[in-house]
Amino acid sequence: MSSTTPTPPPSSLTERRKSETRMEIARAAAGLFVRHGLRATRAEDIAQAAGIAPRTFYRYFATKEEAVAPLYAAGAQRWVEAVRAAPADAGVLHALEQGVRHTLTLGVGVSASSWEWVRTLLRLAEATPSLRRVWAEVCQASERLLGEVLAERVTRVGVPGAAGVTGAAGVTGAAGAPEVSAEGRDNVAAEPDPAPTATPRTPPAATPHPPHAATPHPTPAATPELRFAAAVASAAVRAALEAWAAGDCPVEGPDGPAELALRNLTALRDFPWGP
């Protein structure tokens, strides 16, 4: 699996630890890129800032540019999961709009200072082909996931509680929540000026195996029409973010990323959502 591909929630303690380490490295890399620029930052600098050895860095990422992929992917994952978590009686376009408001509104999981990180990282992606490729791969993977989520909503026709093509697999709790820790930590910048140091890590304690969960229903395949809709919706959000990042407008207001994305989504207002 590509290091730029959004991944499902880790299912074991080892996988969770790896996921946490990837995000720690990503935050360290982003902080250095924002403060010193991409060119002046080496992989060894990122490793030192993250409190790991350089060889450990290369176990997780092949290049310094790939190190920020988890941050790009976290935002993309939140957008898709917010669409999935929209109320069951919401139409598809309404679910997309709710996902935008949930993901791109100031303070909902991302602080004002972190939005400036987002602006800088997107500007770096625009100016640097190697980082632009990482951003593009994350966007493409997010588009595929969004197509699956739209297929889930549309194919719920006839299921009790689903209203026509507006039905959805209701998801509550962590699935649609902002990526903020129990202490309220931001999902982008862990600290305003992070300077993490290496700390000894003890192996996780053994835990009993959880009870067997019910077998999930297979994810319905997105039709060509829904793949197209997912591509348009994803492009609407991506273009809004990139247009906002290219300027100096605040996050809130008519020229902020949320309002820009909502205006872009009107292109799907008359889309035939039926299965």
Side-chain angles (χ1 to χ4, degrees), residues 143-226:
E143 178 187 313
R144 288 195 299 269
L145 292 175
L146 181 61
E148 294 174 1
V149 169
L150 296 184
E152 289 175 6
R153 297 188 72 88
V154 171
T155 55
R156 298 288 286 183
V157 177
V159 175
V165 298
T166 63
V171 178
T172 58
E179 299 215 358
V180 180
S181 71
E183 295 78 18
R185 239 178 64 174
D186 199 303
N187 77 322
V188 178
E191 300 293 343
D193 187 12
T197 57
T199 55
R201 290 178 178 170
T202 57
T207 56
H209 292 291
H212 290 292
T215 302
H217 295 290
T219 302
T223 63
E225 291 80 10
L226 288 178

Side-chain angles (χ1 to χ4, degrees), residues 96-98 100-101 257-266:
L96 291 168
E97 291 171 343
Q98 175 171 305
V100 163
R101 292 188 181 94
E259 290 301 321
L260 290 174
L262 290 171
R263 292 203 295 272
N264 290 348
L265 281 174
T266 60

Side-chain angles (χ1 to χ4, degrees), residues 3-4 22-30 33 43 46 57 60-72 131 134:
S3 62
T4 61
R22 284 169 56 84
M23 188 58 76
E24 289 167 6
I25 296 171
R27 289 195 179 103
F33 291 171
I46 299 171
F57 173 90
Y60 286 91
F61 303 103
T63 66
K64 64 181 182 181
E65 291 86 356
E66 285 187 8
V68 294
L71 284 178
Y72 286 147
L131 194 56
V134 173

Side-chain angles (χ1 to χ4, degrees), residues 28-206:
L32 291 173
F33 291 171
V34 168
R35 291 193 297 276
H36 305 302
L38 180 65
R39 180 171 297 182
T41 301
R42 304 172 303 161
E44 290 77 10
D45 299 325
I46 299 171
Q48 182 177 15
I52 59 174
R55 65 179 180 276
T56 302
F57 173 90
Y58 285 112
R59 283 206 296 267
Y60 286 91
F61 303 103
T63 66
K64 64 181 182 181
E65 291 86 356
E66 285 187 8
V68 294
L71 284 178
Y72 286 147
Q77 186 75 24
R78 287 184 62 235
W79 142 249
V80 172
E81 292 300 340
V83 174
R84 189 197 302 272
D89 59 351
V92 177
L93 182 57
H94 179 75
L96 291 168
E97 291 171 343
Q98 175 171 305
V100 163
R101 292 188 181 94
H102 179 88
T103 309
L104 303 184
T105 299
L106 179 66
V108 184
V110 182
S111 67
S113 61
S114 285
W115 269 111
E116 291 308 310
W117 280 38
V118 172
R119 194 195 299 268
T120 301
L121 290 174
L122 290 176
R123 285 178 175 177
L124 286 172
E126 179 64 25
T128 313
S130 56
L131 194 56
R132 192 184 316 143
R133 184 166 54 251
V134 173
W135 168 237
E137 288 178 359
V138 168
C139 291
Q140 186 178 37
S142 174
E143 178 187 313
R144 288 195 299 269
L145 292 175
L146 181 61
E148 294 174 1
V149 169
L150 296 184
E152 289 175 6
R153 297 188 72 88
V154 171
T155 55
R156 298 288 286 183
V157 177
V159 175
V165 298
T166 63
V171 178
T172 58
E179 299 215 358
V180 180
S181 71
E183 295 78 18
R185 239 178 64 174
D186 199 303
N187 77 322
V188 178
E191 300 293 343
D193 187 12
T197 57
T199 55
R201 290 178 178 170
T202 57

